[in-house]
Amino acid sequence: MNKKLAQMGIEKPLEPPKNGLLVPRLIPVAYDVLKAWKVLIKGVAQLLHVIPVYGCSKCSEVHVAETGHEIQNCLGSANSKRRSFHSWVRGSINDVLLPVESYHLYDPFGRRVMHETRFDYDRIPAVVELCIQAGVDIPEYPSRRRTKPIRMIGRKVFDRGEYVEEPRPWRTADLSALVELDTHGACERFPPPLLSEVPRIAKETMDAYQTVRYGVKRLMKSYTVKACGYCSEVHVGPWGHNAKLCGEFKHQWRDGKHGWQDATPDEVFPPNYVWHVRDPKGPPLTSALKSYYGKAPAVVEICMQAGAQIPAMYKPMMRLDVIIPESGEARFVA
């Protein structure tokens, strides 16, 4: 239909936010997501002082328990020498909240990020950039708010308004207000909580995690987010950037350009599933019984071990109704 309209020279009908205008009903959602994002970072950073988290130094496996598990599923370097056992080290907040960054654009419908100009743009968490484009005003990260819609024929924009030079107050501004938007150094910023406050913090963190997940899904139903089909790069905006940074499968054929496609909420805000541990202080999980173990997002597993109630949607995947047999009984179970 769009191709037929373009051949006839008819303007493509666009609704907000596809035409560059904000969606008023989604502005409160964006503010709620950004507020919950800050609470989530603070809560996870505080709980990491109490709940031990381990990450494999050779692969991306994460485990939440007193000790690392003994499931032989490591695919990292030299895994044959270790018989696919993981090499556990103490984890950080970036092992729980996987960092997914995107370029901050003053005008998403303006000039595209080119390979030569990629250093002129800030890299910020994709969740924060999505909230900014949905209507959140952050003085350090300004965004153009259009009053007249853009106009397109087919895939070509023929009226986007005049180009506006991007203001850069963040070059000289105090960046202390931006620290709470990122996970970098979060564990050092927030001291260990009192043991009596751990259940309350766990509940607040769980609620914030749910708010961010549902808010991101709701915003992405209207606002466009692109993801590379080959690597983990994400770009918030109507079109992907042109920085040649993809180094995955056959990147030489694409000259390092990303293969952009519509992103999913899990690519913008990854859940990072980990094995569910029923007894964090008990014996480590083994390969012989891994078919009886369940999984849960890392944030949910941490909050559960800290005393929070498990949301009903995660109980089936955690397999709480499955009785784990003893190692010697596993082969007798049908």
Side-chain angles (χ1 to χ4, degrees):
M1 181 62 66
N2 291 334
K3 188 175 180 179
K4 291 181 179 179
L5 292 177
Q7 291 174 346
M8 294 184 292
I10 300 177
E11 182 178 341
K12 181 179 178 180
L14 296 174
E15 297 293 332
K18 306 297 183 182
N19 58 3
L21 303 181
L22 294 177
V23 182
R25 61 182 174 82
L26 292 180
I27 295 178
V29 178
Y31 273 97
D32 291 340
V33 171
L34 189 64
K35 181 180 178 181
W37 174 252
K38 298 176 183 179
V39 175
L40 178 61
I41 293 176
K42 180 180 179 180
V44 172
Q46 289 180 307
L47 293 179
L48 285 181
H49 292 292
V50 182
I51 306 299
V53 174
Y54 292 91
C56 181
S57 61
K58 304 297 182 180
C59 70
S60 59
E61 183 80 359
V62 177
H63 190 60
V64 183
E66 294 292 332
T67 58
H69 65 69
E70 296 180 357
I71 300 176
Q72 297 169 266
N73 60 352
C74 183
L75 300 177
S77 60
N79 63 327
S80 59
K81 296 181 180 179
R82 293 177 282 107
R83 295 187 300 153
S84 295
F85 282 105
H86 293 279
S87 178
W88 296 113
V89 295
R90 197 60 183 247
S92 66
I93 189 174
N94 286 337
D95 293 316
V96 180
L97 298 176
L98 299 181
V100 178
E101 294 184 337
S102 174
Y103 287 108
H104 169 61
L105 302 178
Y106 171 70
D107 184 5
F109 292 88
R111 296 183 176 90
R112 300 180 70 176
V113 180
M114 307 302 292
H115 187 73
E116 298 76 14
T117 62
R118 64 188 186 277
F119 296 114
D120 296 337
Y121 301 87
D122 269 1
R123 298 275 293 180
I124 64 176
V127 174
V128 178
E129 177 63 16
L130 179 62
C131 294
I132 292 175
Q133 293 190 19
V136 175
D137 291 323
I138 301 178
E140 291 80 6
Y141 293 130
S143 182
R144 182 179 181 181
R145 307 303 183 192
R146 295 177 178 270
T147 56
K148 296 182 179 180
I150 65 169
R151 302 167 66 188
M152 298 179 63
I153 293 182
R155 296 184 178 181
K156 184 178 180 181
V157 179
F158 69 91
D159 183 12
R160 71 177 78 226
E162 60 181 5
Y163 281 107
V164 179
E165 195 65 28
E166 177 180 356
R168 300 177 183 267
W170 51 267
R171 293 296 186 187
T172 57
D174 182 15
L175 301 183
S176 59
L178 306 178
V179 175
E180 58 184 359
L181 300 177
D182 204 332
T183 58
H184 179 70
C187 292
E188 290 75 19
R189 296 199 308 269
F190 301 106
L194 299 175
L195 293 180
S196 59
E197 297 181 353
V198 170
R200 177 187 60 81
I201 296 175
K203 182 182 183 304
E204 292 177 354
T205 305
M206 182 77 78
D207 294 341
Y209 178 76
Q210 294 292 86
T211 301
V212 174
R213 283 203 62 81
Y214 288 129
V216 167
K217 288 182 180 179
R218 188 173 176 186
L219 292 177
M220 289 182 63
K221 289 181 179 179
S222 299
Y223 290 88
T224 305
V225 181
K226 297 294 184 180
C228 179
Y230 301 95
C231 68
S232 59
E233 181 72 6
V234 169
H235 185 77
V236 183
W239 307 287
H241 61 73
N242 281 339
K244 304 175 183 179
L245 301 175
C246 187
E248 295 300 324
F249 181 69
K250 293 186 178 180
H251 63 91
Q252 300 91 340
W253 291 14
R254 294 174 278 112
D255 193 23
K257 294 183 179 179
H258 296 284
W260 296 115
Q261 58 189 18
D262 289 336
T264 63
D266 285 349
E267 289 174 310
V268 177
F269 186 55
N272 192 19
Y273 290 100
V274 300
W275 293 104
H276 170 56
V277 181
R278 301 191 182 185
D279 185 7
K281 298 182 180 180
L285 308 185
T286 60
S287 296
L289 301 176
K290 68 177 183 180
S291 59
Y292 300 96
Y293 302 139
K295 285 196 169 185
V299 176
V300 175
E301 182 70 14
I302 291 176
C303 295
M304 185 275 299
Q305 294 188 19
Q309 294 292 327
I310 305 174
M313 62 177 296
Y314 297 112
K315 291 183 178 180
M317 68 177 66
M318 297 171 77
R319 308 190 69 180
L320 300 177
D321 57 340
V322 176
I323 298 176
I324 301 177
E326 298 292 337
S327 299
E329 299 174 342
R331 59 193 182 94
F332 297 109
V333 179

